Coordinates of all heavy atoms in Angstrom, one line a residue:
V1 N -5.6 -109.3 33.5 CA -4.7 -109.1 34.4 C -5.1 -108.1 35.4 O -5.7 -107.0 34.9 CB -3.4 -108.7 33.8 CG1 -2.3 -108.3 34.8 CG2 -2.8 -109.7 32.8
L2 N -4.9 -108.2 36.7 CA -5.3 -107.2 37.6 C -4.2 -106.4 38.0 O -3.1 -107.0 38.3 CB -5.9 -107.9 38.9 CG -7.3 -108.4 38.9 CD1 -7.7 -109.0 40.3 CD2 -8.3 -107.2 38.7
L3 N -4.3 -105.2 38.0 CA -3.3 -104.2 38.4 C -3.6 -103.5 39.7 O -4.8 -103.3 40.0 CB -3.1 -103.1 37.3 CG -2.8 -103.5 36.0 CD1 -2.7 -102.3 35.0 CD2 -1.3 -104.2 35.9
N4 N -2.6 -103.2 40.6 CA -3.0 -102.7 41.8 C -3.0 -101.2 41.6 O -2.4 -100.4 42.5 CB -1.9 -103.1 43.0 CG -0.5 -102.7 42.6 OD1 -0.2 -102.4 41.6 ND2 0.4 -102.9 43.6
V5 N -3.6 -100.5 40.7 CA -3.8 -99.2 40.5 C -5.2 -98.9 40.2 O -5.9 -99.9 39.4 CB -2.9 -98.5 39.3 CG1 -1.4 -98.6 39.6 CG2 -3.1 -99.2 38.1
G6 N -5.9 -97.9 40.5 CA -7.2 -97.8 40.2 C -7.7 -96.2 40.3 O -6.7 -95.4 40.1
K7 N -8.8 -95.9 40.7 CA -9.4 -94.5 40.6 C -8.4 -93.7 41.6 O -8.2 -92.6 41.3 CB -10.8 -94.5 41.1 CG -11.7 -95.2 40.1 CD -13.1 -95.2 40.6 CE -13.9 -96.1 39.8 NZ -15.3 -96.4 40.4
N8 N -8.1 -94.2 42.7 CA -7.3 -93.3 43.7 C -5.9 -93.1 43.1 O -5.4 -91.9 43.5 CB -7.1 -94.1 44.9 CG -8.4 -94.2 45.8 OD1 -9.3 -93.5 45.6 ND2 -8.4 -95.1 46.8
S9 N -5.4 -93.7 42.2 CA -4.0 -93.3 41.7 C -4.2 -92.6 40.3 O -3.1 -92.3 39.6 CB -3.1 -94.6 41.5 OG -3.8 -95.6 40.8
G10 N -5.4 -92.4 40.0 CA -5.6 -91.7 38.6 C -5.7 -92.5 37.4 O -5.5 -92.0 36.3
A11 N -5.7 -93.8 37.5 CA -5.8 -94.6 36.4 C -7.1 -94.5 35.6 O -8.1 -94.2 36.2 CB -5.6 -96.1 36.8
K12 N -7.0 -94.6 34.3 CA -8.2 -94.4 33.5 C -8.2 -95.6 32.5 O -7.2 -96.1 32.1 CB -8.1 -93.2 32.8 CG -8.3 -91.9 33.7 CD -8.3 -90.6 32.9 CE -8.4 -89.6 34.0 NZ -8.3 -88.2 33.5
V13 N -9.4 -95.9 32.0 CA -9.6 -96.9 30.9 C -8.7 -96.4 29.7 O -8.9 -95.2 29.4 CB -11.1 -97.0 30.6 CG1 -11.3 -97.9 29.4 CG2 -11.8 -97.7 31.8
G14 N -8.0 -97.2 29.1 CA -7.1 -96.9 28.0 C -5.7 -96.5 28.4 O -4.9 -96.5 27.4
D15 N -5.4 -96.5 29.6 CA -4.0 -96.2 30.0 C -3.2 -97.5 29.6 O -3.7 -98.7 29.7 CB -3.8 -96.0 31.4 CG -4.3 -94.7 32.0 OD1 -4.6 -93.7 31.1 OD2 -4.3 -94.5 33.2
K16 N -2.0 -97.2 29.1 CA -1.2 -98.5 28.6 C 0.1 -98.6 29.4 O 0.7 -97.6 29.8 CB -0.8 -98.2 27.1 CG -2.2 -98.3 26.2 CD -1.8 -98.2 24.8 CE -3.0 -98.3 24.1 NZ -3.0 -97.7 22.7
F17 N 0.5 -99.8 29.6 CA 1.6 -100.2 30.3 C 2.6 -101.1 29.6 O 2.0 -102.0 28.9 CB 1.3 -100.8 31.7 CG 0.4 -100.0 32.8 CD1 -0.9 -99.7 32.5 CD2 1.1 -99.5 33.8 CE1 -1.7 -98.9 33.4 CE2 0.3 -98.7 34.7 CZ -1.1 -98.4 34.4
V18 N 3.8 -101.0 29.8 CA 4.7 -102.0 29.3 C 4.9 -103.1 30.5 O 4.9 -102.7 31.6 CB 6.1 -101.5 29.0 CG1 6.9 -100.8 30.0 CG2 6.9 -102.4 28.2
I19 N 4.9 -104.3 30.1 CA 5.1 -105.4 31.0 C 6.6 -105.9 31.0 O 7.0 -106.1 29.9 CB 4.1 -106.6 30.8 CG1 2.8 -106.1 30.6 CG2 4.3 -107.7 31.8 CD1 1.9 -107.2 29.8
E20 N 7.2 -105.9 32.0 CA 8.6 -106.5 32.1 C 8.8 -107.5 33.1 O 8.3 -107.5 34.2 CB 9.6 -105.3 32.4 CG 9.5 -104.2 31.3 CD 10.3 -103.1 31.6 OE1 10.4 -102.6 32.8 OE2 11.1 -102.5 30.7
S21 N 9.7 -108.6 32.8 CA 10.0 -109.5 33.8 C 11.4 -108.9 34.2 O 12.3 -108.5 33.5 CB 10.4 -110.9 33.0 OG 11.0 -111.7 34.0
V22 N 11.5 -109.0 35.6 CA 12.7 -108.2 36.2 C 13.6 -109.3 37.0 O 13.1 -110.1 37.8 CB 12.2 -107.1 37.3 CG1 13.5 -106.5 37.8 CG2 11.4 -106.2 36.5
E23 N 14.9 -109.4 36.7 CA 15.8 -110.2 37.4 C 16.7 -109.2 38.1 O 17.1 -108.2 37.6 CB 16.5 -111.1 36.5 CG 15.7 -112.1 35.8 CD 16.5 -113.0 34.8 OE1 17.4 -113.7 35.4 OE2 16.2 -113.0 33.6
M24 N 17.3 -109.7 39.1 CA 18.4 -109.0 39.8 C 19.7 -109.6 39.4 O 19.9 -110.8 39.7 CB 18.1 -109.0 41.5 CG 16.9 -108.3 41.9 SD 16.8 -106.7 41.4 CE 18.0 -106.0 42.6
I25 N 20.5 -108.7 39.0 CA 21.9 -109.2 38.7 C 22.9 -108.1 39.3 O 22.7 -106.9 39.0 CB 22.1 -109.1 37.0 CG1 21.2 -110.1 36.4 CG2 23.5 -109.3 36.7 CD1 21.2 -110.1 34.8
E26 N 23.7 -108.7 40.0 CA 24.6 -107.8 40.9 C 23.9 -106.6 41.6 O 24.3 -105.4 41.6 CB 25.8 -107.3 40.0 CG 26.7 -108.4 39.4 CD 27.8 -107.9 38.6 OE1 28.1 -106.6 38.6 OE2 28.5 -108.8 38.0
N27 N 22.9 -106.9 42.2 CA 22.1 -106.0 43.0 C 21.5 -104.9 42.1 O 21.2 -103.8 42.6 CB 22.8 -105.4 44.1 CG 23.1 -106.6 45.2 OD1 22.3 -107.3 45.4 ND2 24.2 -106.2 45.8
Q28 N 21.2 -105.1 40.7 CA 20.5 -104.2 39.9 C 19.6 -104.8 39.2 O 19.6 -106.0 38.8 CB 21.6 -103.6 38.9 CG 22.7 -102.8 39.7 CD 23.7 -102.1 38.6 OE1 23.3 -102.0 37.5 NE2 24.8 -101.8 39.0
K29 N 18.4 -104.1 39.0 CA 17.3 -104.6 38.2 C 17.7 -104.8 36.8 O 18.3 -103.7 36.1 CB 16.0 -103.7 38.3 CG 15.4 -103.8 39.7 CD 14.2 -102.9 39.6 CE 13.3 -103.1 40.9 NZ 12.0 -102.3 40.9
Y30 N 17.4 -106.0 36.2 CA 17.6 -106.2 34.7 C 16.3 -106.5 34.2 O 15.8 -107.7 34.2 CB 18.6 -107.4 34.5 CG 18.9 -107.5 33.1 CD1 19.8 -106.7 32.4 CD2 18.4 -108.6 32.5 CE1 19.8 -106.9 31.0 CE2 18.7 -108.9 31.1 CZ 19.3 -108.1 30.4 OH 19.6 -108.2 29.1
P31 N 15.6 -105.6 33.4 CA 14.2 -105.9 33.0 C 14.2 -106.5 31.6 O 15.1 -106.0 30.8 CB 13.6 -104.5 32.9 CG 14.7 -103.6 32.9 CD 16.0 -104.1 33.5
T32 N 13.4 -107.3 31.3 CA 13.2 -107.8 30.0 C 11.7 -107.6 29.5 O 10.9 -108.1 30.3 CB 13.5 -109.4 30.0 OG1 14.8 -109.6 30.4 CG2 13.3 -110.0 28.5
K33 N 11.6 -106.9 28.4 CA 10.2 -106.5 28.0 C 9.5 -107.9 27.6 O 10.0 -108.7 26.9 CB 10.2 -105.6 26.9 CG 8.9 -105.1 26.4 CD 9.0 -104.1 25.3 CE 7.5 -103.8 24.8 NZ 7.6 -102.8 23.6
I34 N 8.2 -107.9 28.1 CA 7.3 -109.1 27.8 C 6.3 -108.5 26.7 O 6.1 -109.2 25.7 CB 6.6 -109.6 29.0 CG1 7.6 -110.2 30.0 CG2 5.5 -110.5 28.7 CD1 7.0 -110.6 31.3
G35 N 5.7 -107.4 26.9 CA 4.7 -106.9 26.0 C 4.0 -105.7 26.6 O 4.6 -105.0 27.5
L36 N 2.8 -105.4 26.0 CA 2.1 -104.3 26.6 C 0.7 -104.7 27.0 O 0.1 -105.8 26.6 CB 1.8 -103.4 25.3 CG 3.0 -102.8 24.7 CD1 2.6 -101.8 23.4 CD2 3.8 -101.9 25.6
L37 N 0.2 -104.0 27.9 CA -1.3 -104.2 28.4 C -2.0 -102.9 28.4 O -1.5 -101.8 28.5 CB -1.3 -105.0 29.6 CG -0.7 -104.4 30.9 CD1 -1.5 -103.2 31.5 CD2 -0.6 -105.6 31.8
E38 N -3.3 -102.9 28.5 CA -4.2 -101.7 28.4 C -5.3 -101.9 29.4 O -5.9 -103.0 29.6 CB -4.8 -101.5 27.1 CG -5.6 -100.3 27.1 CD -6.2 -99.9 25.5 OE1 -5.5 -100.6 24.6 OE2 -7.2 -99.2 25.4
I39 N -5.6 -100.9 30.3 CA -6.7 -100.9 31.2 C -7.9 -100.9 30.4 O -8.2 -100.0 29.6 CB -6.6 -99.7 32.2 CG1 -5.3 -99.9 33.2 CG2 -7.9 -99.7 33.0 CD1 -5.1 -98.8 34.1
V40 N -8.8 -101.9 30.8 CA -10.1 -102.0 30.1 C -11.3 -101.7 31.0 O -12.5 -101.4 30.7 CB -10.3 -103.3 29.3 CG1 -9.3 -103.5 28.3 CG2 -10.2 -104.6 30.5
N41 N -11.0 -101.7 32.4 CA -12.1 -101.5 33.4 C -11.4 -101.2 34.8 O -10.6 -101.7 35.2 CB -12.9 -102.7 33.6 CG -13.9 -102.6 34.6 OD1 -14.8 -101.6 34.6 ND2 -14.1 -103.5 35.4
L42 N -12.0 -100.0 35.3 CA -11.4 -99.8 36.7 C -12.4 -100.6 37.6 O -13.6 -100.3 37.7 CB -11.8 -98.2 37.0 CG -10.9 -97.3 36.1 CD1 -11.2 -95.8 36.3 CD2 -9.4 -97.5 36.3
A43 N -11.8 -101.4 38.3 CA -12.6 -102.4 39.1 C -12.6 -101.9 40.6 O -13.3 -102.6 41.5 CB -11.8 -103.8 39.1
G44 N -12.1 -100.9 40.9 CA -12.3 -100.3 42.3 C -11.3 -99.2 42.5 O -10.8 -98.7 41.6
E45 N -11.3 -98.8 43.8 CA -10.5 -97.6 44.1 C -9.2 -97.8 43.9 O -8.2 -97.0 43.6 CB -10.7 -97.2 45.6 CG -12.2 -96.8 45.8 CD -12.6 -95.6 45.1 OE1 -11.9 -94.6 44.9 OE2 -13.7 -95.6 44.6
N46 N -8.6 -99.1 44.0 CA -7.2 -99.5 43.9 C -6.9 -100.7 43.0 O -5.9 -101.3 43.0 CB -6.6 -99.8 45.3 CG -6.7 -98.6 46.3 OD1 -6.1 -97.5 45.8 ND2 -7.4 -98.7 47.2
L47 N -7.9 -101.0 42.2 CA -7.7 -102.2 41.2 C -8.3 -101.8 39.9 O -9.2 -101.0 39.7 CB -8.5 -103.4 41.7 CG -7.9 -104.1 42.9 CD1 -8.9 -105.2 43.2 CD2 -6.6 -104.7 42.6
S48 N -7.5 -102.3 38.8 CA -8.0 -102.2 37.4 C -7.8 -103.6 36.7 O -6.9 -104.2 37.0 CB -7.0 -101.1 36.8 OG -7.3 -99.9 37.2
E49 N -8.6 -103.7 35.8 CA -8.5 -105.0 34.9 C -7.9 -104.4 33.6 O -8.2 -103.4 33.1 CB -9.8 -105.5 34.6 CG -10.6 -106.0 35.8 CD -12.0 -106.4 35.5 OE1 -12.6 -106.1 34.4 OE2 -12.7 -106.9 36.4
A50 N -6.8 -105.3 33.2 CA -6.2 -104.9 32.0 C -6.2 -106.1 31.0 O -6.2 -107.3 31.5 CB -4.7 -104.5 32.4
F51 N -5.9 -105.8 29.9 CA -5.9 -106.9 28.7 C -4.6 -106.8 27.9 O -4.1 -105.8 27.7 CB -7.1 -106.4 27.8 CG -7.2 -107.4 26.6 CD1 -7.8 -108.7 26.8 CD2 -6.9 -107.1 25.3 CE1 -7.9 -109.5 25.8 CE2 -7.1 -108.0 24.3 CZ -7.5 -109.1 24.5
I52 N -4.1 -108.0 27.7 CA -2.9 -108.2 27.0 C -3.3 -108.6 25.6 O -3.9 -109.7 25.6 CB -1.9 -109.2 27.5 CG1 -1.4 -108.8 29.0 CG2 -0.6 -109.3 26.7 CD1 -0.7 -109.9 29.8
S53 N -3.1 -108.0 24.6 CA -3.7 -108.4 23.3 C -2.9 -109.3 22.4 O -3.4 -110.0 21.5 CB -4.0 -107.1 22.4 OG -2.9 -106.4 22.2
D54 N -1.7 -109.4 22.6 CA -0.7 -110.2 21.8 C -0.5 -111.5 22.5 O -0.2 -111.7 23.7 CB 0.6 -109.4 21.8 CG 1.7 -110.2 21.1 OD1 1.7 -111.4 21.0 OD2 2.7 -109.5 20.6
K55 N -0.9 -112.6 21.6 CA -0.8 -114.0 22.2 C 0.6 -114.4 22.7 O 0.7 -115.1 23.6 CB -1.4 -114.9 21.0 CG -2.8 -114.9 20.9 CD -3.4 -115.9 20.0 CE -4.9 -115.7 19.9 NZ -5.4 -116.8 18.8
K56 N 1.5 -114.0 22.0 CA 2.9 -114.3 22.4 C 3.2 -113.7 23.7 O 3.9 -114.3 24.5 CB 3.9 -113.8 21.3 CG 5.3 -114.0 21.6 CD 6.3 -113.7 20.5 CE 7.7 -113.7 20.9 NZ 8.6 -113.0 19.8
S57 N 2.8 -112.4 23.9 CA 3.1 -111.8 25.3 C 2.4 -112.5 26.3 O 2.7 -112.6 27.4 CB 2.6 -110.3 25.1 OG 3.5 -109.6 24.1
I58 N 1.0 -112.9 26.1 CA 0.3 -113.7 27.1 C 1.1 -114.9 27.5 O 1.1 -115.2 28.7 CB -1.2 -114.0 26.6 CG1 -1.9 -112.7 26.4 CG2 -1.8 -115.0 27.5 CD1 -3.3 -112.9 25.5
A59 N 1.6 -115.7 26.5 CA 2.2 -116.9 26.8 C 3.4 -116.6 27.7 O 3.7 -117.4 28.7 CB 2.6 -117.7 25.6
L60 N 4.2 -115.6 27.3 CA 5.4 -115.2 28.1 C 5.1 -114.7 29.4 O 5.9 -115.1 30.4 CB 6.2 -114.2 27.1 CG 7.6 -113.9 27.6 CD1 8.5 -115.1 27.8 CD2 8.3 -112.9 26.7
F61 N 4.1 -113.9 29.6 CA 3.6 -113.5 30.9 C 3.2 -114.7 31.7 O 3.8 -114.8 32.9 CB 2.4 -112.6 30.7 CG 1.9 -112.1 32.0 CD1 2.5 -111.0 32.7 CD2 0.7 -112.6 32.5 CE1 1.8 -110.5 34.0 CE2 0.2 -112.1 33.7 CZ 0.8 -111.2 34.4
K62 N 2.4 -115.6 31.3 CA 2.2 -116.8 32.1 C 3.3 -117.7 32.6 O 3.5 -118.0 33.6 CB 1.1 -117.6 31.3 CG -0.3 -117.0 31.3 CD -1.2 -117.9 30.4 CE -2.6 -117.3 30.4 NZ -3.5 -118.2 29.6
K63 N 4.3 -117.8 31.6 CA 5.4 -118.6 31.8 C 6.3 -117.9 33.0 O 6.7 -118.7 33.8 CB 6.4 -118.6 30.6 CG 7.6 -119.5 30.6 CD 8.3 -119.5 29.3 CE 9.7 -120.2 29.4 NZ 10.4 -120.2 28.3
K64 N 6.5 -116.6 32.9 CA 7.3 -116.0 34.0 C 6.6 -116.0 35.3 O 7.3 -116.2 36.3 CB 7.4 -114.5 33.5 CG 8.3 -114.2 32.2 CD 9.8 -114.6 32.4 CE 10.6 -114.3 31.1 NZ 11.9 -114.5 31.2
K65 N 5.3 -115.8 35.3 CA 4.5 -115.8 36.5 C 4.5 -117.1 37.1 O 4.7 -117.4 38.3 CB 3.1 -115.4 36.4 CG 2.9 -113.9 36.1 CD 3.4 -113.1 37.2 CE 2.5 -113.1 38.5 NZ 3.0 -112.3 39.6
K66 N 4.5 -118.2 36.3 CA 4.5 -119.6 36.7 C 5.8 -119.9 37.4 O 5.8 -120.7 38.4 CB 4.2 -120.6 35.7 CG 4.0 -122.0 36.1 CD 3.5 -122.9 34.9 CE 3.1 -124.3 35.5 NZ 2.8 -125.1 34.4
K67 N 6.9 -119.4 36.9 CA 8.3 -119.7 37.4 C 8.5 -118.7 38.6 O 9.6 -118.9 39.1 CB 9.4 -119.3 36.3 CG 9.3 -120.4 35.3 CD 10.5 -120.1 34.3 CE 10.6 -121.3 33.2 NZ 11.8 -121.0 32.4
G68 N 7.6 -118.0 39.0 CA 7.7 -117.1 40.2 C 8.6 -115.8 39.9 O 9.1 -115.2 40.9
K69 N 8.8 -115.5 38.7 CA 9.5 -114.2 38.4 C 8.8 -113.1 38.7 O 7.5 -113.0 38.6 CB 9.9 -114.3 36.9 CG 10.8 -115.6 36.3 CD 12.2 -115.4 36.9 CE 13.0 -116.5 36.3 NZ 14.3 -116.4 36.7
L70 N 9.5 -112.0 39.1 CA 8.9 -110.7 39.3 C 8.5 -110.0 38.0 O 9.3 -110.0 37.1 CB 9.9 -109.8 40.0 CG 9.6 -108.3 40.3 CD1 8.3 -108.3 41.3 CD2 10.7 -107.5 40.8
V71 N 7.2 -109.6 38.0 CA 6.8 -109.0 36.7 C 6.2 -107.6 37.1 O 5.5 -107.5 38.1 CB 5.6 -109.8 36.1 CG1 5.0 -109.1 34.9 CG2 6.1 -111.2 35.7
E72 N 6.8 -106.6 36.4 CA 6.3 -105.2 36.7 C 5.6 -104.6 35.6 O 6.0 -104.9 34.4 CB 7.7 -104.4 37.0 CG 8.2 -104.7 38.4 CD 9.3 -103.9 38.8 OE1 9.9 -103.1 37.9 OE2 9.8 -103.9 40.0
C73 N 4.8 -103.8 35.9 CA 4.1 -103.0 34.7 C 4.4 -101.5 34.9 O 4.3 -100.9 36.0 CB 2.5 -103.1 34.8 SG 2.1 -104.8 34.5
T74 N 4.8 -100.8 33.9 CA 5.1 -99.4 33.8 C 4.3 -98.6 32.9 O 4.3 -98.9 31.8 CB 6.7 -99.2 33.6 OG1 7.4 -100.0 34.4 CG2 7.1 -97.7 33.7
L75 N 3.6 -97.6 33.6 CA 2.9 -96.6 32.6 C 3.6 -96.0 31.5 O 4.7 -95.4 31.7 CB 2.2 -95.7 33.5 CG 1.2 -94.7 32.8 CD1 0.0 -95.3 32.3 CD2 0.9 -93.4 33.7
I76 N 3.0 -96.3 30.2 CA 3.8 -95.6 29.1 C 3.0 -94.6 28.4 O 3.4 -93.8 27.6 CB 4.5 -96.6 28.1 CG1 3.3 -97.6 27.6 CG2 5.5 -97.4 28.8 CD1 3.7 -98.5 26.4
N77 N 1.7 -94.8 28.5 CA 0.8 -93.9 27.7 C -0.5 -93.6 28.6 O -1.3 -94.4 28.8 CB 0.3 -94.5 26.4 CG -0.5 -93.6 25.6 OD1 -0.6 -92.4 25.8 ND2 -1.1 -94.2 24.7
K78 N -0.6 -92.3 29.1 CA -1.7 -91.9 30.0 C -2.8 -91.5 29.1 O -2.8 -90.7 28.2 CB -1.3 -90.7 30.9 CG -2.3 -90.4 31.8 CD -2.3 -91.2 33.1 CE -3.3 -90.7 34.2 NZ -4.0 -91.6 34.7
N79 N -4.1 -92.1 29.2 CA -5.2 -91.7 28.4 C -5.9 -90.4 28.9 O -5.9 -90.1 30.0 CB -6.1 -92.9 28.4 CG -7.3 -92.7 27.3 OD1 -7.1 -92.0 26.4 ND2 -8.3 -93.6 27.3

């Protein structure tokens, strides 16, 4: 998975993020947790490559993206 965070935003290999599918209900964000990912490579100033280790989370992530759902990643553990 490519993330739009990199060296310029202070991202580091090993940083962990929670992945959530976000729906809007009555003009409020309603997030549903999909899983976790971890940065494995800083691919540039503003990009990082991340890995989702759980097969169930990978399948759910692909399903949500295919349906055009908004998917957000939130930093939970700074390395």
Side-chain angles (χ1 to χ4, degrees):
V1 175
L2 280 177
L3 300 177
N4 63 348
V5 295
K7 296 173 188 173
N8 285 345
S9 59
K12 295 183 179 172
V13 171
D15 287 355
K16 293 181 180 156
F17 294 76
V18 64
I19 311 163
E20 296 174 316
S21 173
V22 180
E23 294 181 64
M24 295 300 289
I25 299 176
E26 296 184 10
N27 293 327
Q28 295 185 21
K29 287 185 176 183
Y30 181 73
T32 302
K33 184 177 175 181
I34 294 174
L36 300 173
L37 60 77
E38 181 177 339
I39 293 179
V40 293
N41 182 43
L42 296 176
E45 299 299 317
N46 297 304
L47 288 174
S48 296
E49 297 171 352
F51 181 74
I52 305 170
S53 59
D54 178 333
K55 289 183 181 182
K56 181 179 172 187
S57 297
I58 292 169
L60 191 52
F61 175 80
K62 288 180 179 180
K63 180 180 175 183
K64 296 289 185 180
K65 289 297 288 175
K66 188 173 184 177
K67 288 184 175 183
K69 299 285 185 180
L70 175 64
V71 176
E72 293 183 345
C73 298
T74 306
L75 180 65
I76 57 168
N77 186 15
K78 186 85 174 136
N79 195 11

